[in-house]
Amino acid sequence: MSRLFITVGFILCTGAFAQDIDYAKQVISQLSSPEYKGRGYVGDGDKITAKFITNEFIKMNANPAFKDSYTQKFSVSVNTIPGIVSVKLNNIVLIPAIDFLVESSCPSVRGTFSIVQAKRADLSNPSKLEEIIRISSTSFLLIDNIERKNESAEQTKKIDDIISFLKNDNQIQIPGIIMYTSDKLTWDASCFQNVRPIIILKKESVIDSLIKIEFFVESKYIRRYNTQNVAALIPGAVSPDSFIVVTAHYDHLGMMGKDTYFPGANDNASGLAMILNLAKHFSENKPKYTMVFVAFSAEELGILGALAFTENSPINLGKIKFMVNFDLAGTGEEGIKVVNGTVYKKEFIFLNQVNNKDSLLPKIESRGKACNSDQCAFDEKGIPGFYIYTLGGIKAYHDIHDRYETLPLTEFTDYCKLMIRFFNLL
Ligand SMILES: [Zn+2]
């Protein structure tokens, strides 16, 4: 972190940044297109993506990180929904991901059921709860979660715990649960299959009182699905035995049925575009330390790719000088947030110095430790690092609106410049 390195760093950073944003756009539009199937586990979305990343590393002449391979295989348990997702309420066909979601843990179920509604408040009364369970033994149970707004925090917690029990318990007979919401429909990924389907329904999509549901979902639970991390390295010119690790997850939520996919442009095709841009830069401008670029799978299932990597690392973890994880890199009009910024103060100040010197991003905020993305697996091993995400701009997240076409990439070029300069100065 000396002045000398600062000078060297800035000389190295005269790359053609217009090309970088073009490359980033190409990567993001490609990876969030239907062909990549939401980069999940339906139709080999993860494998198609891993192949794309491997080819990019080969084009750059970056070395394989694992012996003779760019990939590190590991397996996950995952519930997938590759088939039909069809919901009709009172004979009206609903649109998946617009009117409703089925929870990602949904089992295969087909049938026509009556609907009984229960008040949230009644769920916390044991005798009423017993009655509700009895009358919904052959009917879908409808719960209006918008009623939450009239509850105390304590009541909400108690009732939500009862709903969790109703969702998962295999002793009770309820064939399915419908929950009204007024919130944005936000999906996730599941490593288990639930005993009954849970439907999250936009209340405004419903016109009359619900009497009947025709439900058809075809899902598949895979106990051992083989997936892979993809990683490459560029040897350091001065200290090849010390490492700087740059990571981003490439997986997203995949598909909810054969027709609905989650593009994941911001989460996290954008982060992947960032690490590919950085890899491209450092393949043309040799770094001081060995740079390791890792694209993780299975982040959305609980940072499983990052855990597989840190448990079975191709490099000596003790020799990592610093790591940075990029997730949600596609906006930035309000700057960036740095997880662990308050932990690794020296590096945080340093990042700010680089930023201020060249007036790159509007703001750099810091926060403490948080186990919210892949850096957490490194954190647990005591490896110093940041997780950085962009702030401001489009709010699409874990929904079908997280698309390339609406991703602003406001600060992408400056963000990339900032990180190149930061890495050069470490
Ligand atoms: Zn993410």
Side-chain angles (χ1 to χ4, degrees), residues 249 267-268 299-300 327-328:
H249 73 89
D267 186 10
N268 188 28
E299 190 265 358
E300 303 289 3
D327 199 349
L328 309 167

Side-chain angles (χ1 to χ4, degrees), residues 19 49 74 79 120 147 166 186 193 203 213 233 239 245 270 277 308 316 318 337 345 367 373 377 390 403 413:
Q19 285 164 24
T49 313
F74 63 100
N79 191 50
R120 273 180 65 92
E147 290 167 3
L166 293 174
T186 302
Q193 188 172 87
K203 199 171 183 182
I213 179 167
L233 50 86
S239 306
V245 177
S270 67
N277 253 307
N316 180 348
K337 180 84 92 180
K345 292 195 181 94
R367 58 182 280 192
S373 188
T390 52
R403 298 158 56 226
T413 305

Side-chain angles (χ1 to χ4, degrees), residues 4 26 35 112 120 154 163 173 227 257 299 301 311 323 385 394 398 424:
L4 173 71
Q26 198 190 314
E35 200 189 323
T112 301
R120 273 180 65 92
E154 201 186 329
I163 292 175
Q173 299 298 317
T227 186
E299 190 265 358
L301 283 169
E311 281 312 309
M323 70 86 61
I394 187 164
H398 281 210
N424 278 330

Side-chain angles (χ1 to χ4, degrees), residues 128-177:
K128 285 187 179 167
L129 177 63
E130 209 174 301
E131 175 64 5
I132 289 163
I133 292 170
R134 196 187 58 77
I135 60 167
S136 53
S137 65
T138 54
S139 301
F140 269 48
L141 176 63
L142 172 64
I143 299 166
D144 186 350
N145 275 339
I146 301 165
E147 290 167 3
R148 263 202 193 112
K149 61 180 189 296
N150 305 317
E151 297 164 359
S152 68
E154 201 186 329
Q155 277 172 317
T156 297
K157 162 110 187 37
K158 189 176 175 194
I159 297 168
D160 283 349
D161 285 348
I162 293 163
I163 292 175
S164 296
F165 157 79
L166 293 174
K167 278 176 159 187
N168 297 307
D169 190 80
N170 53 17
Q171 304 295 313
I172 56 178
Q173 299 298 317
I174 305 172
I177 295 176

Side-chain angles (χ1 to χ4, degrees), residues 63-113:
N63 298 345
F66 311 99
K67 292 196 178 93
D68 295 324
S69 175
Y70 289 93
T71 56
Q72 175 183 46
K73 295 196 173 22
F74 63 100
S75 71
V76 295
S77 298
V78 60
N79 191 50
T80 61
I81 310 180
I84 287 170
V85 169
S86 163
V87 174
K88 269 195 227 174
L89 287 170
N90 297 358
N91 297 323
I92 295 165
V93 178
L94 300 189
I95 305 166
I98 300 281
D99 295 322
F100 75 95
L101 295 171
V102 291
E103 284 195 352
S104 53
S105 57
C106 192
S108 289
V109 171
R110 183 177 197 172
T112 301
F113 305 87

